[in-house]
Amino acid sequence: MTVFLVITTLSLSREIRLQGIGKKPKLNSLSSCNFFSGKWVFDNRSHTIYSGSNCSFISFLDDGMACQNYGRKDVNYLYWKWQPHDCDLPRFNATAMLEKLRNKRLVYVGDSLNRNQWVSMVCMLESSIHTHVKHVHFNGSLVTLRAIILFPTFVKEYNATIDFYWAPLLVESNCDDAWHHRMKDRVLRVDSIAKHARFWEDADVLVFNSYLWWRLDLTVLWGSFESADAKYEQLGMLRTYELGLQTWSDWLDTHVNRTKTRVFFVSISPTHSRGEEWRKAEVENCYNETEPISNAEYWGSESDSGMMRLVEAAIKKLNERSGVKADLLNITQLSEYRKEHIHPFTESIGIL
């Protein structure tokens, strides 16, 4: 979702200002703005930053991301703009973003939600810079984009690296293969993260997410997958999720460079699979929906508040005990409203 990318950009530096705009935000300054409390407003006067038909990365990675390529005729979903109650969000500025990422590495880590955010980020950069050179490299679960931007009158190399790393449970599991991961019986080593973390430990900005893959029965493996005397145990979803977050938090506490690395955790992405929650028939879902939910109090039944509280507690504890700068990107409520804007992976049972 574009607003998440803009919020991430703002969070990297709350002093960012959009070039060419001489006025201040109409309400509070960005430094005191709650980006996550607001409403969606329809704005078809501003041009869209990108769509599924004009970004090479969407078809390059997964055609399922390109709704228009699959025959979706309505395009109104492209023109809804997130409007916080406290401030105005500056429009995404690709050049400003690349300046902030000059000689740096941004890594999205998690499941298909973060893969979608990674694709959205590179699409926004690609569509905003007229001429460009890009290099994409696949290394198992790691997908890397290196951006070397060329302008007409001079060459300017940002050396900005934007990666996605597939780790749907963050910790080691039998679902870790980037392309073959649809396991009916999910097994994880809830105390093991080093196998994955070695691919992102040098990042300047880390954006994590992990939610949907915990929503089915999980078996905890104590020991290695290769060990003959390993023990298996089922602890329940919330307890297992808590242990996984603890392992993630302990790794950050031990390995993160506090003077260099910013850490973000993206909250729950809603599923919109129960149409009765917005007064449709019980058997219906978000198919053919064309407008957001207008009820400001709406909260879908499949967004687990208990898991949200565990994430909030883990981040609070991490900040207090270790000084690691970690922030929660609470996209859940604003995403709950967008029943017509399907995330092609989290909205589909296929991911499970």
Side-chain angles (χ1 to χ4, degrees), residues 50 74 76 79 85 127 144 148 153 166 180 219 246 248 269 272 298 324 327 341 345 348 352:
Y50 79 93
D74 70 288
N76 282 349
Y79 296 101
H85 294 311
S127 62
T144 299
I148 304 175
T153 56
W166 173 264
H180 306 286
T219 299
Q246 183 63 54
W248 168 79
S269 176
H272 300 119
Y298 173 80
V324 174
D327 292 292
H341 189 191
F345 302 97
S348 170
L352 303 176

Side-chain angles (χ1 to χ4, degrees), residues 1-289:
M1 186 174 293
T2 301
V3 67
F4 160 58
L5 300 170
V6 175
I7 289 170
T8 306
T9 308
L10 293 173
S11 298
L12 293 176
S13 172
R14 294 198 175 220
E15 299 303 316
I16 187 173
R17 293 294 183 268
L18 191 61
Q19 295 179 358
I21 302 296
K23 63 180 182 180
K24 297 180 180 179
K26 66 180 181 181
L27 297 174
N28 295 344
S29 67
L30 294 178
S31 61
S32 59
C33 181
N34 180 358
F35 302 132
F36 310 106
S37 178
K39 63 181 180 180
W40 291 98
V41 296
F42 190 72
D43 175 19
N44 60 357
R45 292 175 297 178
S46 303
H47 69 85
T48 58
I49 297 178
Y50 79 93
S51 69
S53 61
N54 64 8
C55 177
S56 63
F57 287 96
I58 289 180
S59 57
F60 177 64
L61 287 169
D62 197 306
D63 284 338
M65 287 184 175
C67 298
Q68 294 167 28
N69 292 351
Y70 275 79
R72 180 165 183 168
K73 299 185 184 305
D74 70 288
V75 296
N76 282 349
Y77 69 95
L78 297 172
Y79 296 101
W80 289 92
K81 178 178 70 175
W82 180 248
Q83 177 61 61
H85 294 311
D86 297 337
C87 65
D88 283 336
L89 286 176
R91 188 171 173 82
F92 181 81
N93 186 322
T95 304
M97 185 65 186
L98 285 165
E99 284 291 353
K100 292 185 178 301
L101 291 176
R102 179 185 292 278
N103 298 319
K104 293 181 180 179
R105 184 181 181 218
L106 164 63
V107 185
Y108 292 90
V109 180
D111 58 27
S112 59
L113 171 66
N114 259 10
R115 181 171 60 194
N116 194 38
Q117 300 303 336
W118 177 82
V119 173
S120 293
M121 174 62 80
V122 297
C123 284
M124 291 167 71
L125 293 174
E126 179 189 60
S127 62
S128 300
I129 306 292
H130 294 299
T131 55
H132 56 277
V133 175
K134 54 184 180 288
H135 171 70
V136 180
H137 176 68
F138 290 87
N139 179 18
S141 293
L142 182 68
V143 187
T144 299
L145 168 78
R146 184 172 297 277
I148 304 175
I149 309 303
L150 303 178
F151 290 93
T153 56
F154 60 97
V155 176
K156 191 172 187 179
E157 183 174 344
Y158 287 98
N159 193 32
T161 303
I162 307 170
D163 292 348
F164 168 73
Y165 184 85
W166 173 264
L169 295 157
L170 299 183
V171 295
E172 185 179 352
S173 76
N174 64 344
C175 308
D176 291 339
D177 188 282
W179 311 109
H180 306 286
H181 46 246
R182 294 177 181 174
M183 304 295 181
K184 180 180 178 181
D185 299 313
R186 297 179 181 178
V187 180
L188 69 159
R189 298 180 63 196
V190 76
D191 58 348
S192 175
I193 200 171
K195 173 187 173 182
H196 297 319
R198 60 194 175 98
F199 287 98
W200 70 63
E201 61 184 353
D202 66 336
D204 299 276
V205 182
L206 283 164
V207 183
F208 295 94
N209 94 293
S210 190
Y211 172 65
L212 274 181
W213 286 74
W214 300 83
R215 297 282 290 166
L216 296 181
D217 291 337
L218 295 169
T219 299
V220 174
L221 167 64
W222 302 108
S224 69
F225 282 98
E226 296 78 19
S227 175
D229 59 352
K231 296 181 179 181
Y232 296 84
E233 186 176 9
Q234 289 189 322
L235 301 175
M237 182 186 67
L238 288 179
R239 178 55 179 160
T240 307
Y241 191 53
E242 184 178 32
L243 290 173
L245 289 173
Q246 183 63 54
T247 299
W248 168 79
S249 176
D250 287 345
W251 183 88
L252 290 171
D253 188 11
T254 304
H255 293 86
V256 149
N257 184 337
R258 289 153 177 76
T259 64
K260 169 186 175 181
T261 306
R262 289 293 308 275
V263 178
F264 299 93
F265 197 103
V266 184
S267 67
I268 293 170
S269 176
T271 57
H272 300 119
S273 61
R274 298 183 178 182
E276 68 269 22
E277 295 182 351
W278 55 86
R279 300 179 180 178
K280 291 189 70 175
E282 186 174 344
V283 296
E284 296 185 79
N285 54 27
C286 57
Y287 183 70
N288 274 340
E289 291 294 321

